[in-house]
Amino acid sequence: MAANENQLPKNIETQSKCKVYLDYNATTPPAAEVVDVVTQALQEAWGNPSSSYSAGCKAKELIDTARAQIARMVMGKPEDIIFTSGGTEANNMVLFSAVDHFNISTKEGENGCLDKALPHIITSNVEHDSIVLPLKHLQKAHRAEVTFVPVSTTTGRVEVEDVIAALRPNTCLVSIMLANNETGVIMPIGELSQRLMSISEERKTQGLPPILLHTDAAQALGKISVDVQQLGVHYLTIVGHKFYGPRIGALYVHGIGHKTPLLPMLYGGGQERHYRPGTENTPMIAGLGKAAELVSLHCTIYEDHMRSVRDYLEKRLQDAFGNKIRFNSHFSGTERLPNTCNVSLLRPAVLGREWLSHSDYLLASVGAACHSDRGDRPSHVLLSSGVPPDAARGAIRLSVGRDTSRDDVDLIVRDLEQAAQKLENKDTENSEMRN
């Protein structure tokens, strides 16, 4: 996607070829290998996986293979993987399982000192809506108490001590994302799990429930190494379309059923050991497994490439704009995803979507794709992370992918410079008209 150093391509045909996609945190295109596996499964494994004829046996074999591939990606066991329709379902399964398990345990006398207490769940104030909205529903229905721990405006992350301070006798679950989708900040899940395990041991002697730990790893998988053993989590959410797979998901559950509770949200034919019934979507599951295999094989290469290109992008932006921009994803001493850059154009009353709308070649977003219906309101994630309101309103999220090149970056930086100039010219014209 190289272009002349001093000017952007003008003709429409060239322009269409030069569109640069930098919204990989929203979704990723399926890898060619994934498409091949899905296509082959549609043709050869169309049978019901519960049936004994050849097409059914082939489907069952593909599902078993995919389960093992996904387990390997997160360093877990195949029997701890449950397939879901996506990350939203996986997250809801965790939340409702924790609530129902707490209530069942209380009724059965396991936690007699908590008789009639509502289950308490702790999360952060920068979580995805598939965590936030179910929890608000549980609150409104008086089925659970919820604490939204604020992230630090200094580090951009949830601090372990703040989570520990929010614990109550009736706390049954802590759910914190592994990496934020807008800032790229990586949360201290491993450190948090060690503290919670120690506290859970103490709680046993008091007849209190153990504290389960869940992390939504949607943004982290395929960008950094994810090891459930090192993280020490009970649940981990997996989302295929974030790492070049199909739009389905999976849930890792440590010692499912005997060490960690999981209760079904659906009831039916008993598939997925009754935890997630419904005839399995074999082609998509096979594709998810292939995407996971690619991550297992090449994650370090992907990570190094994305970090190199992202760092080059930020250097080019800094050189081009100087003090006219603000990097909202920079927090001193905090780790972040290797592909994420959140940047604002510092002009009075400028909106991120205005900057994007004046760009000819950039395909990106002003924040999380799932919040695109929120108009001109600044991102609550950025505001919660300490980004000033004016900067938050002017923010755009640039997330690079496996194939993003430095030529792409050069094109986009020049494009954003011209877009900023168009905005300045527009302001000047409006000012002259007022005078």
Side-chain angles (χ1 to χ4, degrees):
M1 295 187 185
N4 182 281
E5 186 65 31
N6 298 315
Q7 103 182 31
L8 297 171
K10 297 297 182 183
N11 68 76
I12 295 175
E13 182 180 359
T14 305
Q15 176 176 330
S16 66
K17 292 179 182 178
C18 288
K19 289 289 186 181
V20 177
Y21 181 75
L22 292 184
D23 206 16
Y24 288 92
N25 282 6
T27 196
T28 57
E33 298 92 333
V34 171
V35 174
D36 289 344
V37 167
V38 171
T39 301
Q40 187 174 2
L42 284 167
Q43 294 170 339
E44 301 177 7
W46 48 265
N48 192 314
S50 300
S51 301
S52 59
Y53 43 79
S54 59
C57 290
K58 178 64 174 177
K60 178 67 164 58
E61 178 186 339
L62 288 180
I63 291 170
D64 290 344
T65 298
R67 201 184 307 277
Q69 290 168 324
I70 294 163
R72 193 175 304 116
M73 176 179 65
V74 298
M75 306 297 181
K77 298 177 180 179
E79 59 265 32
D80 289 341
I81 301 296
I82 295 294
F83 293 110
T84 67
S85 62
T88 294
E89 181 185 344
N91 286 343
N92 274 258
M93 282 183 74
V94 172
L95 301 177
F96 284 89
S97 288
V99 167
D100 289 346
H101 177 72
F102 177 92
N103 291 331
I104 292 170
S105 300
T106 302
K107 285 182 180 178
E108 292 177 350
E110 293 179 25
N111 306 304
C113 59
L114 295 175
D115 187 31
K116 297 183 180 180
L118 289 177
H120 175 236
I121 297 174
I122 298 173
T123 190
S124 81
N125 66 340
V126 295
E127 298 294 317
H128 190 270
D129 273 355
S130 59
I131 291 291
V132 174
L133 297 183
L135 287 178
K136 288 186 175 180
H137 166 76
L138 288 167
Q139 269 187 314
K140 188 175 180 179
H142 303 290
R143 294 178 58 189
E145 298 174 349
V146 182
T147 298
F148 293 91
V149 174
V151 296
S152 166
T153 56
T154 301
T155 65
R157 69 179 198 168
V158 179
E159 298 300 339
V160 172
E161 293 303 327
D162 292 337
V163 174
I164 301 304
L167 294 175
R168 303 176 188 174
N170 56 326
T171 302
C172 61
L173 177 72
V174 173
S175 178
I176 305 289
M177 58 175 34
L178 184 51
N180 186 264
N181 50 320
E182 294 190 44
T183 63
V185 166
I186 298 172
M187 303 298 177
I189 301 301
E191 182 186 348
L192 178 59
S193 73
Q194 291 180 357
R195 293 291 303 277
L196 292 178
M197 279 191 283
S198 175
I199 291 171
S200 288
E201 286 298 317
E202 295 176 11
R203 286 164 66 100
K204 276 185 186 178
T205 64
Q206 305 168 31
L208 298 177
I211 303 164
L212 301 168
L213 178 60
H214 165 243
T215 191
D216 181 347
Q219 287 298 332
L221 288 165
K223 299 167 187 168
I224 59 174
S225 175
V226 175
D227 185 334
V228 292
Q229 305 304 320
Q230 291 182 358
L231 292 174
V233 293
H234 298 92
Y235 309 96
L236 182 137
T237 295
I238 298 162
V239 182
H241 73 97
K242 302 293 188 180
F243 56 94
Y244 294 76
R247 286 181 180 167
I248 65 165
L251 179 65
Y252 162 83
V253 185
H254 175 60
I256 184 170
H258 61 280
K259 291 184 179 179
T260 303
L262 186 69
L263 301 173
M265 294 183 66
L266 305 172
Y267 295 86
Q271 292 85 355
E272 291 298 284
R273 289 159 285 166
H274 296 276
Y275 292 114
R276 207 291 183 178
T279 304
E280 299 91 338
N281 190 347
T282 306
M284 295 300 106
I285 288 173
L288 183 64
K290 188 63 180 180
E293 181 184 54
L294 294 174
V295 170
S296 297
L297 291 172
H298 308 301
C299 188
T300 300
I301 295 172
Y302 297 153
E303 180 178 356
D304 289 347
H305 171 75
M306 287 187 285
R307 179 174 285 107
S308 174
V309 174
R310 191 275 313 276
D311 289 350
Y312 179 70
L313 168 64
E314 293 188 343
K315 182 180 184 304
R316 291 282 287 108
L317 286 170
Q318 186 68 66
D319 291 344
F321 289 95
N323 60 7
K324 293 181 180 179
I325 58 169
R326 182 186 197 277
F327 290 110
N328 305 312
S329 44
H330 288 188
F331 295 91
S332 179
T334 298
E335 289 186 81
R336 58 178 170 139
L337 294 175
N339 79 317
T340 305
C341 167
N342 195 300
V343 62
S344 297
L345 181 61
L346 299 179
R347 296 178 61 257
V350 72
L351 299 174
R353 64 172 180 80
E354 290 180 318
W355 198 12
L356 283 178
S357 69
H358 284 76
S359 162
D360 293 323
Y361 305 98
L362 176 61
L363 303 175
S365 65
V366 295
C370 53
H371 295 162
S372 60
D373 62 340
R374 297 186 180 178
D376 295 336
R377 283 178 289 173
S379 161
H380 80 280
V381 169
L382 296 183
L383 293 176
S384 299
S385 302
V387 176
D390 283 348
R393 276 189 287 269
I396 59 174
R397 181 186 66 183
L398 306 175
S399 48
V400 307
R402 297 174 187 175
D403 298 320
T404 309
S405 70
R406 292 193 173 205
D407 284 345
D408 294 334
V409 169
D410 290 336
L411 175 61
I412 287 309
V413 171
R414 290 196 299 273
D415 187 32
L416 287 174
E417 282 186 281
Q418 291 194 7
Q421 186 61 55
K422 291 175 188 175
L423 286 169
E424 288 188 19
N425 293 342
K426 184 179 177 181
D427 278 354
T428 301
E429 290 173 4
N430 290 339
S431 177
E432 290 175 351
M433 288 178 64
R434 286 193 298 268
N435 295 330

